[in-house]
Amino acid sequence: MSFSEHVKEISLSVVIPMYKEEKRLEEGVRPVLEFMSQKFPDGEVILVDDGSPDQTAQEAESLLKKFPKLHTMLLRLGKNQGKGAAVRAGMSKAQGRARLFTDADNATPIEEVERMLDLLKGDRSIVIGTRGGKNSKVEKRQPWWRKRMGMTFNLLMRFIVGMPFKDTQCGFKLFGQVAAQECFSRQTLERFAFDVELLWISRKLQLEVEELPVRWRHIAESRVHPILDSLQMANDILKIRWRHRNLRA
């Protein structure tokens, strides 16, 4: 029986990491707050400011005040640590039976979570969004260099850690309560390769992971550096098998 059939009995947590997002909160985060207010009023939205040097935290705080009936939280990391660290911080505070993390730009529309909830089979289940499936809907494609970077990363990931997923880097992933606790309590990577680490942990723990083709559109003002972040991600992948070599279900 799917989670969506019992939506009134559960609380959906949505965690959104933010870094220098002061100009995109209205376009990216407000739709999430509006959606949650209408569809999941018993849920929660947790915003995590990853040490932004601009007014991201202040703008986020102002935005959250406009939704007083929705349970919300703003976490502030003292310094920039990375997307993985921000998501982990938010998930450590989440209380929902279903826990989603998504990007502040709303590149995958928040409405897609309803389709994910239909596939979530229990507390030990995970559903990840993919842009690589034939049924995915890419409304605006990313620049060629980012696409090439993603393909290279995926090949490297398959070679080193041997996972079959079409798209590990789509920032739209839903966890059952137990799956979230098991994965995020063991997560160590703090930057962009943290998605791969979470999926590696989930496989070692024999959690069920399903891919769902989702709607997605490229949003400008990327925080990804094509060279530095590629090197960092490659280095992080090499750490995954070693750090979790003794992990068993």
Side-chain angles (χ1 to χ4, degrees), residues 145-206:
W145 60 267
R146 282 204 60 165
K147 184 176 182 180
R148 183 64 58 86
M149 179 180 170
M151 293 172 61
T152 302
F153 177 79
N154 195 265
L155 288 173
L156 184 64
M157 180 271 297
R158 287 171 180 263
F159 177 74
I160 296 176
V161 295
M163 289 191 292
F165 305 110
K166 296 182 179 69
D167 183 5
T168 61
Q169 300 311 111
C170 180
F172 202 81
K173 294 180 173 66
L174 183 71
F175 294 74
Q177 184 180 40
V178 173
Q181 293 169 344
E182 295 281 2
C183 290
F184 287 96
S185 65
R186 292 175 169 86
Q187 177 201 339
T188 64
L189 299 181
E190 297 187 329
R191 297 201 176 272
F192 293 109
F194 81 98
D195 300 76
V196 177
E197 183 184 27
L198 291 171
L199 293 173
W200 174 263
I201 292 170
S202 72
R203 296 194 77 198
K204 296 283 280 187
L205 296 178
Q206 299 180 15

Short mmCIF file of all heavy atoms in Angstrom, two decimals, residues 145-206:
data_model
loop_
_atom_site.label_atom_id
_atom_site.label_comp_id
_atom_site.label_asym_id
_atom_site.label_seq_id
_atom_site.Cartn_x
_atom_site.Cartn_y
_atom_site.Cartn_z
N TRP A 145 28.92 21.28 -21.78
CA TRP A 145 30.01 20.89 -20.90
C TRP A 145 29.50 20.23 -19.63
O TRP A 145 30.14 19.33 -19.07
CB TRP A 145 30.89 22.10 -20.55
CG TRP A 145 30.20 23.24 -19.86
CD1 TRP A 145 29.64 24.34 -20.43
CD2 TRP A 145 30.00 23.38 -18.44
NE1 TRP A 145 29.09 25.16 -19.47
CE2 TRP A 145 29.31 24.61 -18.24
CE3 TRP A 145 30.35 22.60 -17.33
CZ2 TRP A 145 28.94 25.05 -16.97
CZ3 TRP A 145 29.98 23.05 -16.06
CH2 TRP A 145 29.29 24.27 -15.90
N ARG A 146 28.31 20.66 -19.17
CA ARG A 146 27.75 20.03 -17.98
C ARG A 146 27.23 18.63 -18.31
O ARG A 146 27.34 17.71 -17.50
CB ARG A 146 26.62 20.88 -17.40
CG ARG A 146 27.11 22.07 -16.61
CD ARG A 146 26.10 22.54 -15.60
NE ARG A 146 25.75 21.52 -14.63
CZ ARG A 146 25.11 21.76 -13.49
NH1 ARG A 146 24.76 23.00 -13.17
NH2 ARG A 146 24.81 20.80 -12.65
N LYS A 147 26.67 18.48 -19.50
CA LYS A 147 26.20 17.16 -19.91
C LYS A 147 27.37 16.20 -20.04
O LYS A 147 27.31 15.05 -19.59
CB LYS A 147 25.45 17.27 -21.24
CG LYS A 147 24.85 15.94 -21.69
CD LYS A 147 24.04 16.10 -22.95
CE LYS A 147 23.42 14.78 -23.38
NZ LYS A 147 22.62 14.92 -24.62
N ARG A 148 28.47 16.68 -20.66
CA ARG A 148 29.66 15.85 -20.80
C ARG A 148 30.26 15.51 -19.43
O ARG A 148 30.72 14.39 -19.20
CB ARG A 148 30.68 16.57 -21.67
CG ARG A 148 31.95 15.77 -21.96
CD ARG A 148 31.66 14.52 -22.75
NE ARG A 148 31.01 14.82 -24.01
CZ ARG A 148 31.67 15.13 -25.13
NH1 ARG A 148 32.99 15.19 -25.13
NH2 ARG A 148 31.00 15.37 -26.25
N MET A 149 30.25 16.49 -18.55
CA MET A 149 30.75 16.28 -17.19
C MET A 149 29.94 15.20 -16.48
O MET A 149 30.49 14.32 -15.81
CB MET A 149 30.69 17.60 -16.41
CG MET A 149 31.16 17.54 -14.98
SD MET A 149 31.02 19.19 -14.22
CE MET A 149 31.33 18.78 -12.50
N GLY A 150 28.63 15.26 -16.63
CA GLY A 150 27.76 14.27 -16.01
C GLY A 150 27.97 12.88 -16.57
O GLY A 150 27.98 11.88 -15.83
N MET A 151 28.16 12.76 -17.89
CA MET A 151 28.39 11.47 -18.52
C MET A 151 29.71 10.86 -18.04
O MET A 151 29.78 9.66 -17.74
CB MET A 151 28.40 11.63 -20.04
CG MET A 151 27.06 12.00 -20.64
SD MET A 151 27.15 12.40 -22.41
CE MET A 151 27.75 10.84 -23.07
N THR A 152 30.73 11.70 -17.95
CA THR A 152 32.04 11.23 -17.49
C THR A 152 31.95 10.76 -16.05
O THR A 152 32.49 9.71 -15.67
CB THR A 152 33.09 12.34 -17.62
OG1 THR A 152 33.17 12.76 -18.99
CG2 THR A 152 34.46 11.85 -17.16
N PHE A 153 31.26 11.54 -15.22
CA PHE A 153 31.12 11.18 -13.82
C PHE A 153 30.37 9.86 -13.68
O PHE A 153 30.74 9.01 -12.86
CB PHE A 153 30.37 12.29 -13.08
CG PHE A 153 30.11 11.99 -11.63
CD1 PHE A 153 31.11 12.13 -10.69
CD2 PHE A 153 28.86 11.54 -11.22
CE1 PHE A 153 30.87 11.85 -9.35
CE2 PHE A 153 28.62 11.26 -9.88
CZ PHE A 153 29.63 11.42 -8.96
N ASN A 154 29.31 9.68 -14.48
CA ASN A 154 28.52 8.46 -14.40
C ASN A 154 29.34 7.24 -14.79
O ASN A 154 29.25 6.17 -14.15
CB ASN A 154 27.28 8.58 -15.28
CG ASN A 154 26.25 7.51 -14.98
OD1 ASN A 154 26.20 6.47 -15.61
ND2 ASN A 154 25.39 7.78 -14.00
N LEU A 155 30.16 7.37 -15.83
CA LEU A 155 31.03 6.27 -16.25
C LEU A 155 32.04 5.93 -15.16
O LEU A 155 32.30 4.76 -14.87
CB LEU A 155 31.75 6.63 -17.55
CG LEU A 155 30.89 6.66 -18.81
CD1 LEU A 155 31.70 7.21 -19.99
CD2 LEU A 155 30.37 5.26 -19.14
N LEU A 156 32.61 6.97 -14.55
CA LEU A 156 33.57 6.77 -13.48
C LEU A 156 32.90 6.09 -12.28
O LEU A 156 33.47 5.17 -11.68
CB LEU A 156 34.17 8.11 -13.06
CG LEU A 156 35.28 8.09 -11.99
CD1 LEU A 156 36.50 7.36 -12.53
CD2 LEU A 156 35.66 9.51 -11.60
N MET A 157 31.71 6.53 -11.96
CA MET A 157 30.97 5.96 -10.85
C MET A 157 30.69 4.48 -11.09
O MET A 157 30.87 3.64 -10.21
CB MET A 157 29.67 6.74 -10.65
CG MET A 157 28.78 6.25 -9.53
SD MET A 157 27.58 4.97 -10.05
CE MET A 157 26.60 5.88 -11.24
N ARG A 158 30.26 4.14 -12.30
CA ARG A 158 29.97 2.75 -12.62
C ARG A 158 31.24 1.88 -12.54
O ARG A 158 31.21 0.74 -12.08
CB ARG A 158 29.36 2.64 -14.01
CG ARG A 158 27.92 3.13 -14.10
CD ARG A 158 27.46 3.19 -15.55
NE ARG A 158 26.08 3.66 -15.65
CZ ARG A 158 25.03 2.87 -15.78
NH1 ARG A 158 25.20 1.56 -15.80
NH2 ARG A 158 23.81 3.37 -15.87
N PHE A 159 32.36 2.43 -12.99
CA PHE A 159 33.62 1.68 -13.01
C PHE A 159 34.15 1.44 -11.60
O PHE A 159 34.61 0.34 -11.27
CB PHE A 159 34.67 2.44 -13.83
CG PHE A 159 36.01 1.78 -13.85
CD1 PHE A 159 36.22 0.64 -14.61
CD2 PHE A 159 37.07 2.29 -13.10
CE1 PHE A 159 37.47 0.01 -14.63
CE2 PHE A 159 38.31 1.68 -13.11
CZ PHE A 159 38.51 0.53 -13.88
N ILE A 160 34.07 2.45 -10.75
CA ILE A 160 34.67 2.35 -9.42
C ILE A 160 33.75 1.68 -8.41
O ILE A 160 34.17 0.79 -7.65
CB ILE A 160 35.08 3.74 -8.91
CG1 ILE A 160 36.17 4.34 -9.80
CG2 ILE A 160 35.58 3.66 -7.46
CD1 ILE A 160 36.58 5.74 -9.43
N VAL A 161 32.49 2.09 -8.36
CA VAL A 161 31.59 1.53 -7.35
C VAL A 161 30.53 0.59 -7.92
O VAL A 161 29.78 -0.04 -7.18
CB VAL A 161 30.90 2.65 -6.53
CG1 VAL A 161 31.93 3.42 -5.75
CG2 VAL A 161 30.12 3.60 -7.42
N GLY A 162 30.45 0.51 -9.25
CA GLY A 162 29.64 -0.52 -9.88
C GLY A 162 28.14 -0.41 -9.69
O GLY A 162 27.44 -1.43 -9.69
N MET A 163 27.62 0.79 -9.55
CA MET A 163 26.18 0.94 -9.38
C MET A 163 25.48 1.15 -10.72
O MET A 163 26.04 1.81 -11.61
CB MET A 163 25.87 2.07 -8.40
CG MET A 163 26.24 1.72 -6.97
SD MET A 163 25.60 2.90 -5.75
CE MET A 163 26.56 4.34 -6.15
N PRO A 164 24.27 0.64 -10.89
CA PRO A 164 23.60 0.63 -12.18
C PRO A 164 22.74 1.84 -12.51
O PRO A 164 22.14 1.89 -13.58
CB PRO A 164 22.72 -0.62 -12.07
CG PRO A 164 22.30 -0.61 -10.63
CD PRO A 164 23.51 -0.13 -9.87
N PHE A 165 22.67 2.81 -11.62
CA PHE A 165 21.71 3.90 -11.80
C PHE A 165 22.05 4.79 -12.99
O PHE A 165 23.21 5.11 -13.23
CB PHE A 165 21.64 4.74 -10.52
CG PHE A 165 21.34 3.93 -9.30
CD1 PHE A 165 22.30 3.72 -8.33
CD2 PHE A 165 20.08 3.35 -9.14
CE1 PHE A 165 22.03 2.95 -7.21
CE2 PHE A 165 19.80 2.57 -8.02
CZ PHE A 165 20.78 2.37 -7.06
N LYS A 166 21.00 5.21 -13.69
CA LYS A 166 21.19 6.06 -14.87
C LYS A 166 21.63 7.47 -14.49
O LYS A 166 22.36 8.12 -15.22
CB LYS A 166 19.88 6.14 -15.67
CG LYS A 166 19.40 4.82 -16.26
CD LYS A 166 18.14 5.04 -17.07
CE LYS A 166 17.64 3.73 -17.70
NZ LYS A 166 17.14 2.80 -16.66
N ASP A 167 21.17 7.94 -13.34
CA ASP A 167 21.42 9.33 -12.95
C ASP A 167 21.50 9.42 -11.43
O ASP A 167 20.47 9.37 -10.74
CB ASP A 167 20.29 10.22 -13.48
CG ASP A 167 20.51 11.70 -13.19
OD1 ASP A 167 21.57 12.06 -12.64
OD2 ASP A 167 19.61 12.49 -13.51
N THR A 168 22.71 9.55 -10.91
CA THR A 168 22.87 9.65 -9.45
C THR A 168 22.81 11.09 -8.97
O THR A 168 22.66 11.34 -7.78
CB THR A 168 24.21 9.05 -9.01
OG1 THR A 168 25.29 9.78 -9.62
CG2 THR A 168 24.31 7.59 -9.39
N GLN A 169 22.94 12.06 -9.89
CA GLN A 169 23.13 13.45 -9.47
C GLN A 169 21.89 14.33 -9.54
O GLN A 169 21.96 15.52 -9.24
CB GLN A 169 24.24 14.09 -10.31
CG GLN A 169 25.59 13.39 -10.17
CD GLN A 169 25.99 13.16 -8.73
OE1 GLN A 169 26.02 12.04 -8.27
NE2 GLN A 169 26.29 14.22 -8.01
N CYS A 170 20.78 13.77 -9.96
CA CYS A 170 19.54 14.56 -9.94
C CYS A 170 19.21 14.89 -8.48
O CYS A 170 19.09 14.00 -7.64
CB CYS A 170 18.40 13.78 -10.58
SG CYS A 170 16.81 14.67 -10.61
N GLY A 171 19.04 16.17 -8.18
CA GLY A 171 18.86 16.60 -6.80
C GLY A 171 17.44 16.47 -6.32
O GLY A 171 16.87 17.43 -5.77
N PHE A 172 16.85 15.30 -6.50
CA PHE A 172 15.45 15.09 -6.10
C PHE A 172 15.33 13.63 -5.66
O PHE A 172 15.13 12.73 -6.47
CB PHE A 172 14.54 15.37 -7.30
CG PHE A 172 13.11 15.71 -6.93
CD1 PHE A 172 12.77 16.99 -6.53
CD2 PHE A 172 12.11 14.75 -7.02
CE1 PHE A 172 11.46 17.30 -6.20
CE2 PHE A 172 10.80 15.06 -6.70
CZ PHE A 172 10.47 16.34 -6.29
N LYS A 173 15.46 13.41 -4.35
CA LYS A 173 15.49 12.05 -3.83
C LYS A 173 14.61 11.94 -2.59
O LYS A 173 14.66 12.78 -1.70
CB LYS A 173 16.93 11.63 -3.48
CG LYS A 173 17.84 11.52 -4.70
CD LYS A 173 19.26 11.11 -4.31
CE LYS A 173 20.12 10.82 -5.54
NZ LYS A 173 20.37 12.01 -6.35
N LEU A 174 13.82 10.87 -2.54
CA LEU A 174 12.85 10.66 -1.47
C LEU A 174 13.22 9.41 -0.68
O LEU A 174 13.47 8.35 -1.26
CB LEU A 174 11.44 10.51 -2.05
CG LEU A 174 10.30 10.33 -1.05
CD1 LEU A 174 10.04 11.63 -0.29
CD2 LEU A 174 9.03 9.87 -1.77
N PHE A 175 13.23 9.53 0.64
CA PHE A 175 13.60 8.43 1.53
C PHE A 175 12.47 8.13 2.50
O PHE A 175 11.83 9.04 3.03
CB PHE A 175 14.83 8.81 2.37
CG PHE A 175 16.09 9.02 1.59
CD1 PHE A 175 16.26 10.15 0.81
CD2 PHE A 175 17.11 8.08 1.63
CE1 PHE A 175 17.42 10.35 0.09
CE2 PHE A 175 18.29 8.27 0.92
CZ PHE A 175 18.45 9.41 0.15
N GLY A 176 12.24 6.85 2.75
CA GLY A 176 11.40 6.48 3.86
C GLY A 176 12.13 6.82 5.15
O GLY A 176 13.35 7.03 5.16
N GLN A 177 11.42 6.86 6.25
CA GLN A 177 11.99 7.31 7.53
C GLN A 177 13.22 6.50 7.94
O GLN A 177 14.28 7.07 8.25
CB GLN A 177 10.94 7.22 8.62
CG GLN A 177 11.40 7.75 9.97
CD GLN A 177 10.30 7.64 11.02
OE1 GLN A 177 9.56 6.65 11.08
NE2 GLN A 177 10.17 8.65 11.84
N VAL A 178 13.12 5.19 7.93
CA VAL A 178 14.24 4.35 8.35
C VAL A 178 15.39 4.45 7.35
O VAL A 178 16.56 4.53 7.75
CB VAL A 178 13.79 2.88 8.51
CG1 VAL A 178 15.00 1.97 8.79
CG2 VAL A 178 12.77 2.76 9.63
N ALA A 179 15.07 4.47 6.06
CA ALA A 179 16.11 4.59 5.04
C ALA A 179 16.90 5.88 5.22
O ALA A 179 18.13 5.90 5.11
CB ALA A 179 15.48 4.54 3.65
N ALA A 180 16.19 6.96 5.52
CA ALA A 180 16.87 8.25 5.74
C ALA A 180 17.79 8.18 6.95
O ALA A 180 18.94 8.63 6.90
CB ALA A 180 15.84 9.36 5.92
N GLN A 181 17.30 7.61 8.04
CA GLN A 181 18.11 7.51 9.24
C GLN A 181 19.35 6.66 9.01
O GLN A 181 20.46 7.01 9.44
CB GLN A 181 17.26 6.94 10.38
CG GLN A 181 16.14 7.88 10.83
CD GLN A 181 15.15 7.21 11.76
OE1 GLN A 181 15.10 5.97 11.86
NE2 GLN A 181 14.34 8.00 12.43
N GLU A 182 19.18 5.53 8.32
CA GLU A 182 20.29 4.61 8.08
C GLU A 182 21.34 5.23 7.17
O GLU A 182 22.55 5.08 7.41
CB GLU A 182 19.76 3.31 7.45
CG GLU A 182 18.86 2.49 8.34
CD GLU A 182 19.63 1.67 9.37
OE1 GLU A 182 20.87 1.78 9.41
OE2 GLU A 182 18.99 0.92 10.12
N CYS A 183 20.90 5.93 6.14
CA CYS A 183 21.84 6.48 5.15
C CYS A 183 22.54 7.75 5.63
O CYS A 183 23.77 7.86 5.56
CB CYS A 183 21.11 6.75 3.83
SG CYS A 183 20.60 5.25 2.96
N PHE A 184 21.77 8.69 6.13
CA PHE A 184 22.36 9.98 6.48
C PHE A 184 23.20 9.92 7.75
O PHE A 184 24.11 10.73 7.93
CB PHE A 184 21.28 11.06 6.57
CG PHE A 184 20.74 11.47 5.24
CD1 PHE A 184 19.59 10.91 4.73
CD2 PHE A 184 21.43 12.38 4.45
CE1 PHE A 184 19.10 11.25 3.49
CE2 PHE A 184 20.96 12.74 3.20
CZ PHE A 184 19.80 12.18 2.71
N SER A 185 22.93 8.95 8.61
CA SER A 185 23.76 8.80 9.81
C SER A 185 25.14 8.27 9.46
O SER A 185 26.09 8.41 10.24
CB SER A 185 23.07 7.87 10.81
OG SER A 185 22.97 6.55 10.29
N ARG A 186 25.27 7.68 8.27
CA ARG A 186 26.54 7.12 7.83
C ARG A 186 27.24 7.96 6.76
O ARG A 186 28.37 7.68 6.39
CB ARG A 186 26.33 5.70 7.29
CG ARG A 186 25.92 4.68 8.35
CD ARG A 186 25.60 3.34 7.72
NE ARG A 186 25.45 2.29 8.72
CZ ARG A 186 24.31 2.01 9.36
NH1 ARG A 186 23.22 2.74 9.11
NH2 ARG A 186 24.26 1.03 10.25
N GLN A 187 26.55 8.94 6.25
CA GLN A 187 27.11 9.79 5.19
C GLN A 187 28.33 10.57 5.71
O GLN A 187 28.30 11.16 6.78
CB GLN A 187 26.05 10.78 4.69
CG GLN A 187 26.55 11.76 3.64
CD GLN A 187 25.68 12.99 3.55
OE1 GLN A 187 24.52 12.98 3.95
NE2 GLN A 187 26.23 14.07 3.03
N THR A 188 29.39 10.59 4.91
CA THR A 188 30.62 11.30 5.30
C THR A 188 31.02 12.38 4.30
O THR A 188 31.66 13.36 4.66
CB THR A 188 31.80 10.33 5.45
OG1 THR A 188 32.09 9.72 4.18
CG2 THR A 188 31.50 9.25 6.47
N LEU A 189 30.66 12.20 3.03
CA LEU A 189 31.06 13.16 2.00
C LEU A 189 30.19 14.41 2.10
O LEU A 189 28.98 14.32 2.31
CB LEU A 189 30.96 12.54 0.60
CG LEU A 189 31.85 11.32 0.35
CD1 LEU A 189 31.66 10.82 -1.07
CD2 LEU A 189 33.32 11.65 0.61
N GLU A 190 30.81 15.57 1.87
CA GLU A 190 30.09 16.82 2.08
C GLU A 190 29.83 17.61 0.81
O GLU A 190 29.14 18.64 0.86
CB GLU A 190 30.87 17.69 3.08
CG GLU A 190 30.98 17.04 4.46
CD GLU A 190 31.59 17.94 5.50
OE1 GLU A 190 32.43 18.78 5.12
OE2 GLU A 190 31.23 17.81 6.68
N ARG A 191 30.39 17.16 -0.31
CA ARG A 191 30.16 17.92 -1.53
C ARG A 191 29.38 17.10 -2.55
O ARG A 191 28.56 16.28 -2.17
CB ARG A 191 31.49 18.48 -2.05
CG ARG A 191 32.09 19.45 -1.02
CD ARG A 191 33.10 20.42 -1.58
NE ARG A 191 33.53 21.35 -0.54
CZ ARG A 191 32.93 22.50 -0.25
NH1 ARG A 191 31.88 22.88 -0.96
NH2 ARG A 191 33.36 23.29 0.72
N PHE A 192 29.60 17.33 -3.83
CA PHE A 192 28.64 16.84 -4.82
C PHE A 192 28.56 15.32 -4.96
O PHE A 192 27.56 14.82 -5.46
CB PHE A 192 28.96 17.46 -6.18
CG PHE A 192 28.72 18.95 -6.22
CD1 PHE A 192 29.78 19.84 -6.29
CD2 PHE A 192 27.44 19.45 -6.17
CE1 PHE A 192 29.56 21.21 -6.32
CE2 PHE A 192 27.20 20.82 -6.19
CZ PHE A 192 28.26 21.70 -6.27
N ALA A 193 29.56 14.58 -4.53
CA ALA A 193 29.51 13.12 -4.66
C ALA A 193 28.73 12.45 -3.53
O ALA A 193 28.66 11.23 -3.47
CB ALA A 193 30.92 12.55 -4.72
N PHE A 194 28.14 13.23 -2.65
CA PHE A 194 27.43 12.64 -1.52
C PHE A 194 26.25 11.79 -1.98
O PHE A 194 25.88 10.82 -1.31
CB PHE A 194 26.96 13.73 -0.55
CG PHE A 194 25.68 14.42 -0.94
CD1 PHE A 194 24.47 14.04 -0.40
CD2 PHE A 194 25.70 15.46 -1.88
CE1 PHE A 194 23.29 14.68 -0.75
CE2 PHE A 194 24.53 16.10 -2.23
CZ PHE A 194 23.32 15.71 -1.68
N ASP A 195 25.64 12.11 -3.13
CA ASP A 195 24.53 11.30 -3.65
C ASP A 195 24.98 9.87 -3.89
O ASP A 195 24.27 8.92 -3.57
CB ASP A 195 24.01 11.89 -4.97
CG ASP A 195 23.49 13.30 -4.85
OD1 ASP A 195 24.32 14.23 -4.76
OD2 ASP A 195 22.27 13.48 -4.86
N VAL A 196 26.15 9.73 -4.50
CA VAL A 196 26.68 8.39 -4.79
C VAL A 196 26.95 7.64 -3.49
O VAL A 196 26.65 6.44 -3.38
CB VAL A 196 27.97 8.48 -5.63
CG1 VAL A 196 28.55 7.09 -5.86
CG2 VAL A 196 27.69 9.16 -6.95
N GLU A 197 27.48 8.33 -2.51
CA GLU A 197 27.74 7.68 -1.22
C GLU A 197 26.44 7.18 -0.60
O GLU A 197 26.38 6.05 -0.07
CB GLU A 197 28.44 8.64 -0.27
CG GLU A 197 28.80 7.98 1.06
CD GLU A 197 29.42 8.95 2.07
OE1 GLU A 197 29.13 10.16 1.97
OE2 GLU A 197 30.18 8.49 2.92
N LEU A 198 25.39 7.99 -0.64
CA LEU A 198 24.11 7.57 -0.08
C LEU A 198 23.57 6.33 -0.78
O LEU A 198 23.06 5.40 -0.13
CB LEU A 198 23.09 8.70 -0.20
CG LEU A 198 23.31 9.94 0.67
CD1 LEU A 198 22.34 11.05 0.27
CD2 LEU A 198 23.15 9.60 2.15
N LEU A 199 23.71 6.29 -2.10
CA LEU A 199 23.21 5.14 -2.85
C LEU A 199 24.07 3.91 -2.59
O LEU A 199 23.56 2.78 -2.55
CB LEU A 199 23.17 5.47 -4.34
CG LEU A 199 22.13 6.55 -4.72
CD1 LEU A 199 22.27 6.93 -6.18
CD2 LEU A 199 20.71 6.06 -4.43
N TRP A 200 25.37 4.10 -2.42
CA TRP A 200 26.27 2.99 -2.08
C TRP A 200 25.87 2.41 -0.71
O TRP A 200 25.77 1.19 -0.55
CB TRP A 200 27.71 3.47 -2.07
CG TRP A 200 28.70 2.44 -1.59
CD1 TRP A 200 29.20 2.31 -0.33
CD2 TRP A 200 29.28 1.39 -2.37
NE1 TRP A 200 30.07 1.25 -0.27
CE2 TRP A 200 30.15 0.66 -1.50
CE3 TRP A 200 29.16 1.01 -3.70
CZ2 TRP A 200 30.88 -0.43 -1.95
CZ3 TRP A 200 29.91 -0.10 -4.14
CH2 TRP A 200 30.75 -0.79 -3.27
N ILE A 201 25.65 3.28 0.25
CA ILE A 201 25.22 2.84 1.58
C ILE A 201 23.90 2.08 1.49
O ILE A 201 23.72 1.03 2.12
CB ILE A 201 25.09 4.05 2.53
CG1 ILE A 201 26.46 4.67 2.81
CG2 ILE A 201 24.40 3.64 3.84
CD1 ILE A 201 26.40 5.99 3.53
N SER A 202 22.98 2.60 0.71
CA SER A 202 21.66 1.97 0.60
C SER A 202 21.77 0.56 0.03
O SER A 202 21.05 -0.35 0.47
CB SER A 202 20.74 2.82 -0.29
OG SER A 202 21.12 2.75 -1.66
N ARG A 203 22.66 0.36 -0.92
CA ARG A 203 22.83 -0.98 -1.49
C ARG A 203 23.49 -1.92 -0.50
O ARG A 203 23.13 -3.10 -0.40
CB ARG A 203 23.65 -0.91 -2.78
CG ARG A 203 22.97 -0.12 -3.90
CD ARG A 203 23.65 -0.37 -5.23
NE ARG A 203 23.27 -1.66 -5.77
CZ ARG A 203 23.95 -2.29 -6.74
NH1 ARG A 203 25.06 -1.76 -7.20
NH2 ARG A 203 23.54 -3.45 -7.20
N LYS A 204 24.47 -1.42 0.25
CA LYS A 204 25.15 -2.26 1.25
C LYS A 204 24.16 -2.69 2.34
O LYS A 204 24.28 -3.78 2.90
CB LYS A 204 26.31 -1.49 1.87
CG LYS A 204 27.42 -1.13 0.90
CD LYS A 204 28.31 -2.32 0.58
CE LYS A 204 29.32 -2.56 1.68
NZ LYS A 204 30.32 -3.59 1.33
N LEU A 205 23.21 -1.82 2.64
CA LEU A 205 22.21 -2.12 3.67
C LEU A 205 20.98 -2.82 3.10
O LEU A 205 20.02 -3.07 3.83
CB LEU A 205 21.78 -0.83 4.37
CG LEU A 205 22.88 -0.10 5.16
CD1 LEU A 205 22.32 1.19 5.76
CD2 LEU A 205 23.44 -0.99 6.25
N GLN A 206 21.01 -3.11 1.81
CA GLN A 206 19.92 -3.82 1.12
C GLN A 206 18.59 -3.07 1.21
O GLN A 206 17.52 -3.65 1.37
CB GLN A 206 19.78 -5.24 1.67
CG GLN A 206 21.03 -6.08 1.47
CD GLN A 206 20.90 -7.50 2.00
OE1 GLN A 206 19.80 -7.97 2.28
NE2 GLN A 206 22.01 -8.20 2.14
#
